[in-house]
């Protein structure tokens, strides 16, 4: 009874067991045939082709006869480096995308201050942090306490123009080779994050782009424009790479109380590039809120189509 039960239990697996057993048996037989035939064939071929001819002749001269081939051992040739040639260490990049020249699409920098860090900056972070994965806050405070969920870079000097200068240097030094586009905004700016991300996908990364809300310089009659910092602006990677060489000269030669004007003057004077509000058919639409206006009550078409809104109050 027990035997019948066991056979009934093993019946579904019997074909598998028989197949495995037969396969293993045939494999062992085949290996033995190959080894028995292959040793003579390889030896005959080697002798006929002269592969071991020199060795066999040496053995015969030594008086050992052909049988001394059994003592043959391969000689390992160690790696040799010429001491007179300089040693060059091969450096590999940390990420494969860096080695292949790939870049992330967009880096976002938010300028904040002591008065607004715990209010407006926190509100910006709650609004756009989940849309912008590469988001950094910059302040002139020294040893500032960082609000939860924010990555803060402190330059230790609260002068607005100095903050802009240090921020541009920091972005170039740490991120200049990793991103195609750099978006700079203030913490009193409301931005449509998804529309900004969509905007950069329609722009060529090989051009020098300074895109934002174009404004006239105070007291100036020239045609050149700077991008208003309150509405945010977009810098291409190629422009940033060219600009960083002139930042020290701009710091020493250009006098301005407004950081956005200072940066615009720097770009215009040393690169000859003016801020534009449209590029390659893409429009940078912005909306300026009236004083004490409530954004939730704005229903106009210009407001609905705007990429950025400024100024946003703490209330």
């Amino acid at each position: 009874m027990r035997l019948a039960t066991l056979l009934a239990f093993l019946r579904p697996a019997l074909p598998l067991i028989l197949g495995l057993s037969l396969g293993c048996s045939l494999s062992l037989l085949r290996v033995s045939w190959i080894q028995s035939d292959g040793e003579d064939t390889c030896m005959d071929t080697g002798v006929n082709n002269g592969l071991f001819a020199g060795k066999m002749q040496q053995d015969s001269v030594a008086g050992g006869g052909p049988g001394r081939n059994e003592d043959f051992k391969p000689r390992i040739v160690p790696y040799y480096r010429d001491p007179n040639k300089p040693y060059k260490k091969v450096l590999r990049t940390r990420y494969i995308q860096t080695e292949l020249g790939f870049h992330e699409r967009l880096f976002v920098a938010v300028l904040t201050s002591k008065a607004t860090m715990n209010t407006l900056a926190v509100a910006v972070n709650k609004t756009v942090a989940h849309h912008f994965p590469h988001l950094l806050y910059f302040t002139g405070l020294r040893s500032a306490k960082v609000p939860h969920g924010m990555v803060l870079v402190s330059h230790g000097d609260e002068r607005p123009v100095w903050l802009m200068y240090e921020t541009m240097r920091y972005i170039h030094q740490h991120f200049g080779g990793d991103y195609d586009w750099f978006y700079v905004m203030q913490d009193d700016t409301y931005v449509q994050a998804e529309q900004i991300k969509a905007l950069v996908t329609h722009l060529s990364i090989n051009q020098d782009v300074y895109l934002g809300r174009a404004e006239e310089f105070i007291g100036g009659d020239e045609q050149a424009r700077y991008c208003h910092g309150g509405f945010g602006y977009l810098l291409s990677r190629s422009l940033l790479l060219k600009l960083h060489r002139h930042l020290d000269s701009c710091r020493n030669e250009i006098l301005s109380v407004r950081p956005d004007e200072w940066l615009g003057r720097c770009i215009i004077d040393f690169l000859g590039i003016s801020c534009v509000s449209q590029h390659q058919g893409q429009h940078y639409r912005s909306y300026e809120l009236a004083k004490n206006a409530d954004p939730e009550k704005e229903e106009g078409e210009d407001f609905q189509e705007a990429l950025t809104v400024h100024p946003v109050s703490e209330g």
Side-chain angles (χ1 to χ4, degrees), residues 5-304:
T5 304
L6 180 61
L7 290 176
F9 178 75
L10 294 177
R11 187 184 301 275
L14 284 177
L16 177 62
I17 296 173
L18 292 175
L20 289 175
S21 301
L22 181 60
C24 292
S25 301
L26 293 176
S27 297
L28 292 174
L29 290 174
R30 185 173 182 275
V31 169
S32 63
W33 292 338
I34 291 175
Q35 288 180 346
S36 61
D37 296 339
E39 290 178 355
D40 298 338
T41 303
C42 291
M43 182 59 68
D44 293 341
T45 304
V47 173
N48 294 333
N49 291 337
L51 297 178
F52 301 103
K55 177 65 179 175
M56 293 178 67
Q57 288 179 358
Q58 293 176 3
D59 292 343
S60 299
V61 172
R68 288 184 54 88
N69 248 350
E70 298 176 358
D71 298 331
F72 173 76
K73 294 182 179 180
R75 183 170 62 92
I76 300 176
V77 180
Y79 170 74
Y80 173 75
R81 181 173 64 88
D82 190 349
N84 297 322
K85 294 182 179 180
Y87 176 67
K88 184 178 180 181
K89 184 178 180 181
V90 179
L91 299 177
R92 301 300 300 272
T93 53
R94 183 177 181 183
Y95 301 106
I96 188 65
Q97 68 175 21
T98 304
E99 186 169 341
L100 296 178
F102 297 155
H103 304 111
E104 296 285 349
R105 177 69 67 178
L106 180 65
F107 174 85
V108 180
V110 181
L111 305 179
T112 185
S113 64
K114 179 180 179 180
T116 59
M117 181 185 302
N118 294 303
T119 53
L120 290 178
V122 171
V124 169
N125 194 64
K126 292 180 179 179
T127 304
V128 303
H130 56 288
H131 294 285
F132 294 142
H134 310 287
L135 177 65
L136 219 59
Y137 293 82
F138 294 86
T139 181
L141 291 176
R142 188 183 300 275
S143 301
K145 185 178 180 181
V146 183
H148 178 71
M150 295 170 54
V151 181
L152 185 70
V153 177
S154 179
H155 296 307
D157 193 317
E158 296 187 63
R159 290 176 294 176
V161 172
W162 185 268
L163 174 61
M164 177 63 72
Y165 163 76
E166 290 290 346
T167 298
M168 289 294 107
R169 285 188 60 221
Y170 187 95
I171 292 176
H172 171 266
Q173 181 178 356
H174 293 87
F175 307 107
D178 299 330
Y179 296 88
D180 289 328
W181 297 98
F182 302 87
Y183 186 68
V184 183
M185 57 180 286
Q186 299 175 182
D187 58 6
D188 60 348
T189 304
Y190 175 77
V191 58
Q192 296 280 6
E194 290 301 321
Q195 295 188 34
I196 294 295
K197 291 167 63 177
L199 173 66
V200 298
T201 62
H202 293 87
L203 298 175
S204 172
I205 63 175
N206 298 319
Q207 297 186 10
D208 299 331
V209 179
Y210 180 32
L211 181 66
R213 176 161 171 155
E215 298 279 352
E216 295 182 0
F217 287 95
I218 298 176
D221 297 329
E222 57 186 292
Q223 297 297 321
R225 300 288 187 269
Y226 73 95
C227 288
H228 194 294
F231 298 95
Y233 45 88
L234 196 64
L235 304 176
S236 64
R237 177 174 175 268
S238 61
L239 184 142
L240 181 65
L241 295 179
K242 295 176 182 178
L243 178 65
H244 89 277
R245 300 191 295 266
H246 307 290
L247 288 175
D248 289 337
S249 299
C250 293
R251 179 194 59 185
N252 298 327
E253 299 175 12
I254 299 177
L255 298 178
S256 179
V257 296
R258 288 179 56 99
D260 50 2
E261 283 194 11
W262 175 85
L263 180 63
R265 176 61 64 189
C266 181
I267 295 174
I268 292 169
D269 289 354
F270 288 90
L271 301 182
I273 299 172
S274 179
C275 175
V276 294
S277 297
Q278 60 177 355
H279 182 71
Q280 295 180 339
Q282 302 299 313
H283 295 263
Y284 191 90
R285 295 183 173 88
S286 58
Y287 185 84
E288 184 173 1
L289 282 175
K291 188 176 180 180
N292 299 323
D294 185 359
E296 296 183 357
K297 296 182 180 179
E298 296 286 341
E299 298 179 352
E301 183 178 352
D302 292 341
F303 177 81
Q304 299 296 331

